[in-house]
Amino acid sequence: MSEQETVQDGLAELEALPGGARAALEAVLMVIDQPATSEELAAGLNVTVAVVEDLLQDLQREYSGYTVKAPDVDAVGFADASTAPRGFELRNVAGGWRIYSRSDFADIVGRFVLEGQTTRLTQAALETLAVIAYRQPVSRARVSAIRGVNVDSVVRTLTQRGLIEDSGNDPESGAVLYRTTSYFLERMGIGSVAELPQLSPHLPGLEGIEEYYDASRM
Amino acid sequence: MSEQETVQDGLAELEALPGGARAALEAVLMVIDQPATSEELAAGLNVTVAVVEDLLQDLQREYSGYTVKAPDVDAVGFADASTAPRGFELRNVAGGWRIYSRSDFADIVGRFVLEGQTTRLTQAALETLAVIAYRQPVSRARVSAIRGVNVDSVVRTLTQRGLIEDSGNDPESGAVLYRTTSYFLERMGIGSVAELPQLSPHLPGLEGIEEYYDASRM
Amino acid sequence: MGPSLAPSTEADSAATADTPDAGNPGSRKAGFEVRLANFTGPFDLLLGLISKHKLDITEVALATVTDEFIKYIRRLQELGEDWALDEASEFLVIAATLLDLKAARLLPSGEVEDAEDIALLEARDLLFARLLQYKAFKQIAGIMGETLEQEARRYPRQVALEGHFAALLPELVWRHTPEQFAELAAKALKPKDAAPAEVGLDHLHAPPVSVKEQAEIMGYRLKLGAPLSFQTLIADADTTLVVVARFLALLEMFRDRVIAFEQPGPLAELTVRWTGADADWDSSSLSEEYEAGAESYGTVSEENGSE
């Protein structure tokens, strides 16, 4: 049996279940406790990545209040419940898919979910996090130099919060280097650090200094 | 203002949100870990228990494949996506409500869960378990502070593996406290936590360690 | 994740509280205006002009800026504005950078004769870049803070594995004896000393001159009471490095508000006077930009912000 056939069998098997492949994917999304990539989901469901990605997009649209069949629904003049947004959404963050409660309901959900509530970061912590995010991997000393203050305790807090992590040592100085974690991406709701806002528009009158100061990193 | 009025206000407020009260209830059900009673849900949503119970039944029916408007759908001869069962179901277990993956997909979900599982604890999991064993009952935040890293996912793994369990809430902070289980004792081959070897021989200069952590307790 | 079911007003307020926009200095700074002989306008604009070389830092009387700022802050406090402290600490950070910048610009910049001079010139450009960078990161931090807050309104589904799935998990391999486990615990529980950030290499190139040590000397002399000129204070300095260290020490002490400068005009004689009410001041409160170990400079800006 070729691999292609196996994959096809997987899909056929799923479609035979009540609710089909889409419901099967939903069932898997119910038990994951961290973002799952489309590859992982495809492997688990025994279908191709393309199939899973189509299904994920369908679900995402449906949860947000538009079914794939919206035109038909309009045509029959019947506003079905499924066109209203659901209380949850499917998002692709930190390279994986995961179900979140919709932000409109944050106040209500917050009454039930005490933990995982993170206290707001201080301005100092935010600035340190920003420097690490844009300069990673980076040593404490370098972050200190940029911020003009000692950042040891802030770095400790950020590490404890799981927003940054040790990424080995600088080959020259031996200093511990820090980088942001995938949890950081999750908290920012982005797929990778490349999606962070551009730094350059915030640097005024930069001509020449950029190359001078940090040619390789801006 | 009478209590009745307050409750009515709560419902009107919810209905003003996208997706209405039903979506709000869904949002809560989707992210709670422990089943919630209809009383708890009603209190959190600020509506009456009767309203919540109606909504719960609606949702339960909808997830199982029948929308409240099923007869209309039949009338227009159009099988909308929302009439197909979803991959999850709303179950009332031991008086509490929670969303679970639908049992039809147990095989698929089981396969997915097993994939990528190892039979060995990671070093991070072992160290976290050790801290919990010797400091129980202890909150995740405190374990985090001791280990210097975020331990959320490791604590989940250890709970899943039945090595630690929830032992109530800290009276002050409300944080969940963890302790080791009898399965842990079994795996260690000891009768009680008191039989764990004393730490002192392994830790020269341990005196004052309690104060050290308690001072910076978070 | 072990959500609790108890409705909590505290969690509620944490999720909903509005912060005044902590990250955007533009919106908060709008209130403070600098009035100098050669410049009138908001503090941000002053910084902008300096960074664009349209205003020479050496022409800016920082003492005037500071005096005006203190007046401004007092006015805010009288009006009961609660963000006065935020703005004050932000001002300190920026003013310190300006002082460093000014220090670098004021150093004799004649002929480049030796490596030390080159190092000083580079330091000046670095300070410049640092000021710009700092401002950029501050803005970005504001944007990140807003994003994090928006995103925190979404709660991920991360529930415990249902019992029947958990039962499917393969049995754990467990090879630890209680003794090995205790050893592991001892290791995990040991207080972790902050690892040294890096191995300092500076001492390989130049004899170390401690700013802190120089600050102590300056402090001792100034606490005697009489105002002293900068010339007097550096009269016994045997190397340029000591002069630089003393100047930096004075800037640090100024930042600590224990001394005041008087200078009738650009390049005129600089007089230093002890103003610290606190006779106990010592150099241990100095920033560790130059020395490792202390935390004091950190505390002002570390703890302010949006909380």
Side-chain angles (χ1 to χ4, degrees):
Chain A
M1 196 190 268
S2 76
E3 185 160 320
Q4 186 58 29
E5 274 175 279
T6 320
V7 164
Q8 290 307 321
D9 283 353
L11 186 55
E13 192 191 313
L14 294 184
E15 289 298 358
L17 292 167
R22 207 165 61 144
L25 175 58
E26 264 182 344
V28 168
L29 290 170
M30 284 304 119
V31 300
I32 59 176
D33 63 2
Q34 51 193 351
T37 63
S38 18
E39 287 75 20
E40 284 164 347
L41 294 168
L45 292 170
N46 195 20
V47 295
T48 61
V49 171
V51 166
V52 159
E53 284 181 346
D54 274 357
L55 291 170
L56 286 165
Q57 268 161 32
D58 273 9
L59 286 177
Q60 192 176 35
R61 268 199 299 268
E62 192 195 335
Y63 295 164
S64 295
Y66 304 94
T67 68
V68 277
K69 297 187 175 170
D72 296 328
V73 172
D74 284 346
V76 297
F78 164 61
D80 186 82
S82 65
T83 59
R86 305 221 70 107
F88 48 88
E89 55 188 329
L90 179 59
R91 306 180 71 223
N92 183 2
V93 290
W97 296 83
R98 190 175 191 179
I99 287 193
Y100 290 82
S101 66
R102 192 169 291 284
S103 59
D104 301 303
F105 306 108
D107 298 349
I108 297 157
V109 175
R111 287 174 211 155
F112 290 88
V113 184
L114 270 182
E115 296 213 27
Q117 287 262 356
T118 40
T119 41
R120 205 175 281 130
L121 292 174
T122 59
Q123 185 65 21
L126 275 174
E127 284 174 22
T128 304
L129 185 59
V131 173
I132 294 173
Y134 284 85
R135 289 284 178 270
Q136 57 186 313
V138 64
S139 69
R140 277 203 305 265
R142 186 130 187 269
V143 180
S144 255
I146 292 172
R147 290 208 47 235
V149 292
N150 182 298
V151 296
D152 289 3
S153 82
V154 179
V155 163
R156 258 198 307 278
T157 309
L158 292 171
T159 311
Q160 262 174 42
R161 293 252 193 125
L163 292 164
I164 59 169
E165 64 191 358
D166 190 326
S167 79
N169 297 68
D170 185 289
E172 275 172 47
S173 66
V176 177
L177 299 175
Y178 293 88
R179 65 174 170 219
T180 54
T181 60
S182 63
Y183 175 69
F184 164 77
L185 297 177
E186 252 186 87
R187 297 307 310 262
M188 289 289 293
I190 56 178
S192 78
V193 281
E195 288 174 39
L196 286 168
Q198 286 285 306
L199 189 56
S200 30
H202 299 278
L203 284 167
L206 198 69
E207 318 80 44
I209 285 172
E210 186 175 337
E211 297 77 44
Y212 177 84
Y213 186 70
D214 203 346
S216 60
R217 290 260 171 92
M218 282 296 171
Chain B
M1 192 189 274
S2 78
E3 183 156 324
Q4 188 57 30
E5 273 175 277
T6 320
V7 164
Q8 290 308 322
D9 283 351
L11 186 56
E13 207 180 292
L14 291 185
E15 289 298 355
L17 292 169
R22 209 167 58 142
L25 178 58
E26 238 180 9
V28 172
L29 291 169
M30 202 38 101
V31 299
I32 55 171
D33 192 5
Q34 299 300 314
T37 64
S38 24
E39 287 75 19
E40 285 165 337
L41 291 168
L45 290 169
N46 194 20
V47 295
T48 62
V49 173
V51 165
V52 159
E53 283 179 347
D54 273 357
L55 290 169
L56 285 166
Q57 266 159 36
D58 271 10
L59 286 176
Q60 194 175 35
R61 266 201 302 270
E62 190 196 336
Y63 295 165
S64 297
Y66 304 96
T67 67
V68 278
K69 296 189 177 169
D72 295 329
V73 173
D74 283 347
V76 296
F78 164 60
D80 187 80
S82 67
T83 61
R86 307 223 67 109
F88 45 86
E89 55 188 338
L90 180 58
R91 290 214 305 260
N92 185 349
V93 180
W97 296 85
R98 209 196 97 172
I99 288 177
Y100 295 88
S101 68
R102 181 170 295 284
S103 50
D104 297 312
F105 302 102
D107 291 349
I108 292 156
V109 173
R111 207 165 61 204
F112 180 84
V113 167
L114 274 177
E115 215 159 296
Q117 287 289 340
T118 54
T119 54
R120 204 180 294 265
L121 289 177
T122 60
Q123 187 65 20
L126 274 171
E127 283 182 22
T128 303
L129 180 59
V131 171
I132 294 172
Y134 280 89
R135 286 287 177 271
Q136 57 187 311
V138 64
S139 70
R140 271 205 311 255
R142 186 133 186 261
V143 180
S144 242
I146 293 171
R147 296 214 44 238
V149 292
N150 183 292
V151 295
D152 290 6
S153 84
V154 173
V155 164
R156 265 202 307 281
T157 307
L158 292 171
T159 312
Q160 225 161 67
R161 286 307 199 150
L163 291 163
I164 60 170
E165 64 191 359
D166 187 327
S167 81
N169 296 65
D170 185 286
E172 272 172 50
S173 66
V176 176
L177 299 174
Y178 293 88
R179 65 172 172 222
T180 53
T181 61
S182 54
Y183 174 71
F184 165 77
L185 296 176
E186 209 182 291
R187 297 310 309 258
M188 288 291 291
I190 55 178
S192 80
V193 191
E195 286 175 43
L196 281 170
Q198 288 288 306
L199 273 189
S200 27
H202 303 278
L203 197 55
L206 193 72
E207 322 79 46
I209 195 172
E210 281 301 334
E211 295 74 34
Y212 176 88
Y213 285 119
D214 287 337
S216 62
R217 185 161 181 173
M218 23 185 322
Chain C
M1 188 80 181
S4 151
L5 289 172
S8 154
T9 50
E10 196 188 329
D12 196 19
S13 66
T16 59
D18 288 319
T19 10
D21 179 8
N24 187 346
S27 67
R28 258 190 311 147
K29 275 277 171 252
F32 176 52
E33 288 217 337
V34 188
R35 277 167 223 283
L36 300 170
N38 50 359
F39 175 85
T40 301
F43 192 53
D44 255 10
L45 181 58
L46 173 67
L47 271 178
L49 288 175
I50 292 167
S51 69
K52 283 179 189 139
H53 302 257
K54 287 185 181 140
L55 194 64
D56 189 341
I57 181 86
T58 58
E59 308 254 311
V60 177
L62 284 169
T64 315
V65 178
T66 308
D67 285 349
E68 286 214 6
F69 186 79
I70 289 167
K71 261 187 243 156
Y72 169 71
I73 287 292
R74 287 213 178 107
R75 206 164 58 239
L76 284 184
Q77 281 168 338
E78 279 160 19
L79 293 171
E81 295 276 359
D82 52 1
W83 37 274
L85 180 65
D86 270 4
E87 197 161 343
S89 45
E90 188 177 296
F91 175 84
L92 286 179
V93 172
I94 297 174
T97 310
L98 281 174
L99 282 170
D100 283 351
L101 205 55
K102 191 164 181 176
R105 296 278 279 169
L106 286 172
L107 288 168
S109 56
E111 280 180 359
V112 175
E113 279 176 357
D114 55 320
E116 264 175 32
D117 282 352
I118 292 169
L120 286 172
L121 284 174
E122 285 182 353
R124 190 186 67 188
D125 288 347
L126 281 173
L127 282 167
F128 232 80
R130 189 174 122 194
L131 172 66
L132 296 179
Q133 259 205 145
Y134 176 73
K135 281 183 62 67
F137 277 119
K138 217 168 152 49
Q139 284 173 36
I140 285 282
I143 295 171
M144 275 175 55
E146 280 164 31
T147 310
L148 287 170
E149 211 160 297
Q150 264 326 102
E151 288 296 319
R153 295 181 62 78
R154 298 182 166 100
Y155 293 81
R157 176 174 169 97
Q158 45 185 12
V159 302
L161 204 54
E162 294 161 37
H164 56 281
F165 293 128
L168 288 175
L169 297 176
E171 179 85 343
L172 274 182
V173 172
W174 185 274
R175 297 214 184 90
H176 288 76
T177 64
E179 285 69 32
Q180 287 170 328
F181 188 73
E183 217 169 294
L184 201 69
K187 191 177 137 238
L189 285 166
K190 205 158 89 193
K192 287 159 195 70
D193 296 323
E198 51 197 57
V199 180
L201 297 172
D202 299 348
H203 59 283
L204 297 179
H205 304 295
V209 179
S210 159
V211 173
K212 202 167 269 189
E213 217 170 85
Q214 297 305 320
E216 253 162 59
I217 299 170
M218 300 294 97
Y220 174 77
R221 291 184 189 175
L222 289 165
K223 272 197 253 183
L224 296 175
L228 295 171
S229 74
F230 186 64
Q231 284 307 326
T232 319
L233 284 169
I234 58 165
D236 61 330
D238 44 8
T239 68
T240 320
L241 264 184
V242 174
V243 176
V244 173
R246 286 193 181 171
F247 190 74
L248 290 173
L250 290 173
L251 292 179
E252 292 282 315
M253 292 158 79
F254 180 75
R255 182 147 67 185
D256 272 1
R257 300 190 194 183
V258 292
I259 58 165
F261 293 116
E262 265 152 43
Q263 191 178 30
L267 301 181
E269 188 175 61
L270 180 68
T271 312
V272 189
R273 166 166 67 81
W274 184 261
T275 59
D278 182 8
D280 298 333
W281 180 88
D282 66 57
S283 62
S284 65
S285 71
L286 283 193
S287 130
E288 62 281 4
E289 257 177 302
Y290 310 104
E291 312 284 331
E295 290 258 13
S296 74
Y297 178 17
T299 50
V300 174
S301 63
E302 294 300 327
E303 296 310 327
N304 88 90
S306 52
E307 287 197 338

